[in-house]
Amino acid sequence: MQLAVCPGSFDPLHNGHVEIIARASNLFDEVIVAVSPNMHKNPMFSVEERIAMAQETFSYVRGVSVKPLGSGLLTDFCREVGANALVKGLRDPKDLGYESPMATMNRHLSGLETVFLAADGRYTHLSSTLVKEVHKLGGDVAEFIPRAVQRRLQDRRR
Protein backbone atom coordinates (compact mmCIF):
# COMPACT_ATOMS: atom_id res chain seq x y z
CA MET A 1 0.00 0.00 0.00
CA GLN A 2 1.26 3.45 -0.92
CA LEU A 3 0.70 5.91 1.92
CA ALA A 4 1.60 9.60 1.80
CA VAL A 5 1.60 12.32 4.43
CA CYS A 6 0.60 15.87 3.60
CA PRO A 7 1.87 17.97 6.53
CA GLY A 8 1.00 21.53 7.40
CA SER A 9 -0.40 23.87 9.99
CA PHE A 10 -3.56 24.42 7.91
CA ASP A 11 -4.41 27.56 9.90
CA PRO A 12 -6.79 27.86 8.25
CA LEU A 13 -7.25 25.17 5.63
CA HIS A 14 -7.95 26.78 2.25
CA ASN A 15 -8.99 25.55 -1.18
CA GLY A 16 -5.39 25.39 -2.39
CA HIS A 17 -4.68 22.81 0.32
CA VAL A 18 -7.88 20.95 -0.52
CA GLU A 19 -6.99 20.76 -4.21
CA ILE A 20 -3.49 19.36 -3.55
CA ILE A 21 -4.74 16.79 -1.03
CA ALA A 22 -7.58 15.67 -3.30
CA ARG A 23 -5.12 15.18 -6.18
CA ALA A 24 -2.75 13.29 -3.88
CA SER A 25 -5.60 10.93 -2.99
CA ASN A 26 -5.68 9.91 -6.66
CA LEU A 27 -1.97 9.05 -6.57
CA PHE A 28 -1.77 7.17 -3.26
CA ASP A 29 -3.89 4.51 -1.57
CA GLU A 30 -4.05 6.63 1.56
CA VAL A 31 -3.17 10.23 2.39
CA ILE A 32 -2.78 11.38 5.97
CA VAL A 33 -3.29 15.11 6.50
CA ALA A 34 -0.87 15.74 9.38
CA VAL A 35 -1.84 18.90 11.26
CA SER A 36 1.10 20.53 13.01
CA PRO A 37 1.11 22.96 15.93
CA ASN A 38 3.77 25.15 14.20
CA MET A 39 5.29 27.07 17.07
CA HIS A 40 6.63 29.73 14.66
CA LYS A 41 3.17 31.07 13.87
CA ASN A 42 0.44 32.70 15.94
CA PRO A 43 -2.49 30.34 15.35
CA MET A 44 -6.01 31.50 14.66
CA PHE A 45 -7.40 28.04 15.44
CA SER A 46 -6.27 25.40 17.91
CA VAL A 47 -4.85 22.15 16.57
CA GLU A 48 -8.06 20.41 17.64
CA GLU A 49 -10.19 22.91 15.68
CA ARG A 50 -7.97 22.56 12.60
CA ILE A 51 -8.20 18.77 12.79
CA ALA A 52 -12.01 18.94 13.09
CA MET A 53 -12.28 21.29 10.08
CA ALA A 54 -9.99 19.08 8.00
CA GLN A 55 -11.90 15.92 8.98
CA GLU A 56 -15.18 17.53 7.97
CA THR A 57 -13.71 18.83 4.70
CA PHE A 58 -12.15 15.52 3.65
CA SER A 59 -14.91 13.22 4.91
CA TYR A 60 -16.07 12.81 1.30
CA VAL A 61 -12.61 12.03 -0.15
CA ARG A 62 -11.70 8.35 -0.36
CA GLY A 63 -8.50 7.40 1.42
CA VAL A 64 -7.89 10.69 3.25
CA SER A 65 -7.56 10.77 7.03
CA VAL A 66 -6.49 13.51 9.42
CA LYS A 67 -4.11 13.18 12.38
CA PRO A 68 -2.19 15.50 14.68
CA LEU A 69 1.49 15.70 13.75
CA GLY A 70 2.81 16.46 17.22
CA SER A 71 6.04 18.27 17.94
CA GLY A 72 8.64 15.68 16.87
CA LEU A 73 10.38 15.14 13.56
CA LEU A 74 8.15 14.72 10.53
CA THR A 75 10.26 11.74 9.46
CA ASP A 76 9.53 10.01 12.78
CA PHE A 77 5.80 10.56 12.30
CA CYS A 78 6.02 9.16 8.77
CA ARG A 79 7.90 6.10 10.00
CA GLU A 80 5.28 5.53 12.74
CA VAL A 81 2.37 5.63 10.28
CA GLY A 82 4.21 3.69 7.55
CA ALA A 83 4.30 6.50 4.98
CA ASN A 84 6.18 6.02 1.71
CA ALA A 85 6.19 9.69 0.74
CA LEU A 86 5.43 13.27 1.64
CA VAL A 87 3.23 15.43 -0.58
CA LYS A 88 3.84 19.17 -0.80
CA GLY A 89 2.06 21.70 -2.96
CA LEU A 90 4.07 24.33 -4.82
CA ARG A 91 2.58 27.69 -5.74
CA ASP A 92 5.68 29.24 -7.25
CA PRO A 93 9.49 28.99 -7.49
CA LYS A 94 9.82 30.53 -4.03
CA ASP A 95 7.94 27.55 -2.55
CA LEU A 96 10.30 25.17 -4.34
CA GLY A 97 13.30 27.03 -2.91
CA TYR A 98 11.83 26.72 0.58
CA GLU A 99 10.70 23.09 0.28
CA SER A 100 13.69 21.56 -1.54
CA PRO A 101 16.18 21.69 1.37
CA MET A 102 13.59 20.16 3.68
CA ALA A 103 12.88 17.40 1.16
CA THR A 104 16.59 16.67 0.89
CA MET A 105 17.00 16.58 4.68
CA ASN A 106 13.98 14.28 5.07
CA ARG A 107 15.40 11.92 2.44
CA HIS A 108 18.83 12.05 4.13
CA LEU A 109 17.35 11.30 7.58
CA SER A 110 15.04 8.47 6.59
CA GLY A 111 14.97 7.79 2.85
CA LEU A 112 11.53 9.40 2.68
CA GLU A 113 10.75 10.91 -0.71
CA THR A 114 8.83 14.13 -1.27
CA VAL A 115 6.38 14.45 -4.15
CA PHE A 116 5.80 18.02 -5.29
CA LEU A 117 2.48 18.89 -6.90
CA ALA A 118 2.14 22.18 -8.76
CA ALA A 119 -0.82 24.18 -7.50
CA ASP A 120 -3.76 24.83 -9.76
CA GLY A 121 -3.52 28.37 -11.13
CA ARG A 122 -6.77 29.32 -9.40
CA TYR A 123 -5.03 28.94 -6.04
CA THR A 124 -1.43 30.10 -6.52
CA HIS A 125 -2.14 33.38 -4.74
CA LEU A 126 -3.59 31.71 -1.64
CA SER A 127 -1.85 31.30 1.66
CA SER A 128 -3.30 30.76 5.11
CA THR A 129 -1.64 33.99 6.23
CA LEU A 130 -3.34 35.97 3.46
CA VAL A 131 -6.72 34.37 4.15
CA LYS A 132 -6.41 35.25 7.87
CA GLU A 133 -5.35 38.82 7.14
CA VAL A 134 -8.15 39.51 4.65
CA HIS A 135 -10.68 37.98 7.04
CA LYS A 136 -9.42 40.01 10.03
CA LEU A 137 -9.74 43.20 7.97
CA GLY A 138 -13.36 42.38 7.14
CA GLY A 139 -12.89 40.95 3.65
CA ASP A 140 -14.94 38.08 2.27
CA VAL A 141 -12.80 34.94 1.96
CA ALA A 142 -15.67 32.48 1.43
CA GLU A 143 -14.65 31.52 -2.12
CA PHE A 144 -11.15 30.57 -0.92
CA ILE A 145 -11.99 28.27 1.99
CA PRO A 146 -14.01 25.09 2.60
CA ARG A 147 -17.43 25.39 4.24
CA ALA A 148 -16.16 23.94 7.53
CA VAL A 149 -13.67 26.81 7.82
CA GLN A 150 -16.21 29.37 6.67
CA ARG A 151 -18.61 28.33 9.44
CA ARG A 152 -15.90 28.61 12.09
CA LEU A 153 -14.86 32.05 10.86
CA GLN A 154 -18.48 33.23 10.93
CA ASP A 155 -18.85 31.91 14.48
CA ARG A 156 -15.82 33.94 15.54
CA ARG A 157 -17.33 37.14 14.15
CA ARG A 158 -20.47 36.74 16.29
Side-chain angles (χ1 to χ4, degrees), residues 16-37:
H17 295 133
V18 174
E19 188 260 340
I20 292 293
I21 294 163
R23 285 172 46 211
S25 74
N26 291 322
L27 299 173
F28 295 92
D29 300 312
E30 184 179 350
V31 176
I32 296 173
V33 177
V35 180
S36 72

Side-chain angles (χ1 to χ4, degrees), residues 132-150:
K132 282 191 282 195
E133 187 173 329
V134 170
H135 171 73
K136 284 180 184 176
L137 294 172
D140 182 7
V141 295
E143 71 180 282
F144 307 120
I145 55 177
R147 286 189 184 105
V149 177
Q150 186 176 358

Side-chain angles (χ1 to χ4, degrees), residues 36-50:
S36 72
N38 199 337
M39 284 75 70
H40 302 293
K41 296 181 180 179
N42 185 20
M44 174 179 266
F45 295 105
S46 70
V47 171
E48 293 77 18
E49 289 174 304
R50 289 181 268 148

Side-chain angles (χ1 to χ4, degrees), residues 26-142:
N26 291 322
L27 299 173
F28 295 92
D29 300 312
E30 184 179 350
V31 176
I32 296 173
V33 177
V35 180
S36 72
N38 199 337
M39 284 75 70
H40 302 293
K41 296 181 180 179
N42 185 20
M44 174 179 266
F45 295 105
S46 70
V47 171
E48 293 77 18
E49 289 174 304
R50 289 181 268 148
I51 289 171
M53 289 184 286
Q55 286 173 329
E56 183 178 337
T57 299
F58 293 109
S59 64
Y60 70 95
V61 182
R62 176 200 55 81
V64 176
S65 61
V66 182
K67 295 184 179 183
L69 179 57
S71 58
L73 286 173
L74 177 57
T75 53
D76 291 341
F77 175 85
C78 290
R79 188 177 306 113
E80 288 169 16
V81 298
N84 307 89
L86 291 170
V87 172
K88 301 292 265 177
L90 300 177
R91 295 168 292 187
D92 57 28
K94 185 178 174 187
D95 280 354
L96 181 61
Y98 177 78
E99 296 290 349
S100 288
M102 288 191 290
T104 301
M105 180 59 79
N106 289 333
R107 189 174 61 248
H108 175 78
L109 290 173
S110 67
L112 189 67
E113 291 293 346
T114 300
V115 175
F116 294 118
L117 296 179
D120 185 295
R122 296 173 294 170
Y123 306 118
T124 56
H125 66 292
L126 287 182
S127 70
S128 294
T129 301
L130 185 59
V131 168
K132 282 191 282 195
E133 187 173 329
V134 170
H135 171 73
K136 284 180 184 176
L137 294 172
D140 182 7
V141 295

